[in-house]
Amino acid sequence: MPSQTFIRWFESLRSTDVAIVGGKTASLGELYSSLRPRGINVPNGFGITAEAYRAALSAAGAWQQIAPLLEGIGEADTQVTAHHASAARPLVYTAPDTTPLHEQLGEAYRKLEAQYGRNVSVAVRSSATAEDLPNASFAGQHDSFVNIRGVEAVFEACRHCFSSIFTDRAIVYRNNNGFSHAKVALSVAVMKMVRS
């Protein structure tokens, strides 16, 4: 796999970057970029690009195994959907092990530590490339995690976020709304936790 940069910091993102980092991460980047210069204390973070998801599946040869599992599911038989979805998720979960993502994620997390302190607690949030569209809402369909500390725990949470693109609910929603499973990708936002 060619060397690629899979990390985009909030400061470099705008709301127009949905195809790169998904709706949630693009919106977080817009908030950070717009409000921080005005003195509003928006927590920093970064997005793991949707290309990281695509590259991981490609490098692992996972899509060739996932595609047949998705054919014809999600319309009616919930047991068949659940069975096939549960077979697809581990394929996505293991795929990032074959990419340079772990190294890039570690470097990015260490930069957050340099800004906020050692072992900084972060939120790890799924962000689909079809989110925040006028005709669709993927809110709550993919996993997110809070109070995550350390590179290995963040990487583990990111893998779970990626694999949550194939929850039963997400598959059925995409089917019902005419979204191709192959065309919707997942990004992950990693941002400093905000204490209430």
Side-chain angles (χ1 to χ4, degrees), residues 123-141:
V124 181
R125 307 177 67 193
S126 297
S127 180
T129 56
E131 276 182 358
D132 298 339
L133 299 177
N135 59 344
S137 174
F138 285 78
Q141 292 188 23

Side-chain angles (χ1 to χ4, degrees), residues 6 48-54 56-57 88-89 92-96 99 101 124-127 142-143 145 155-167 185-189:
F6 293 133
I48 299 170
T49 65
E51 188 55 35
Y53 165 85
R54 291 185 191 101
L57 291 186
R89 284 192 299 274
V92 179
Y93 173 81
T94 58
T99 73
L101 177 59
V124 181
R125 307 177 67 193
S126 297
S127 180
H142 308 114
D143 290 346
F145 302 90
F155 185 60
E156 181 74 2
C158 288
R159 293 170 72 186
H160 282 291
C161 285
F162 282 140
S163 68
S164 73
I165 198 166
F166 292 118
T167 63
L186 208 66
S187 164
V188 178

Side-chain angles (χ1 to χ4, degrees), residues 18 22-24 27 128-142 170 172-180 184:
V18 174
K24 186 179 295 154
S27 295
T129 56
E131 276 182 358
D132 298 339
L133 299 177
N135 59 344
S137 174
F138 285 78
Q141 292 188 23
H142 308 114
V172 171
Y173 186 82
R174 286 193 299 271
N175 280 346
N176 290 346
N177 288 277
F179 288 97
S180 165
V184 176

Side-chain angles (χ1 to χ4, degrees), residues 53-71:
Y53 165 85
R54 291 185 191 101
L57 291 186
S58 177
W63 191 252
Q64 291 86 337
Q65 299 171 68
I66 293 168
L69 292 171
L70 300 177
E71 289 177 13

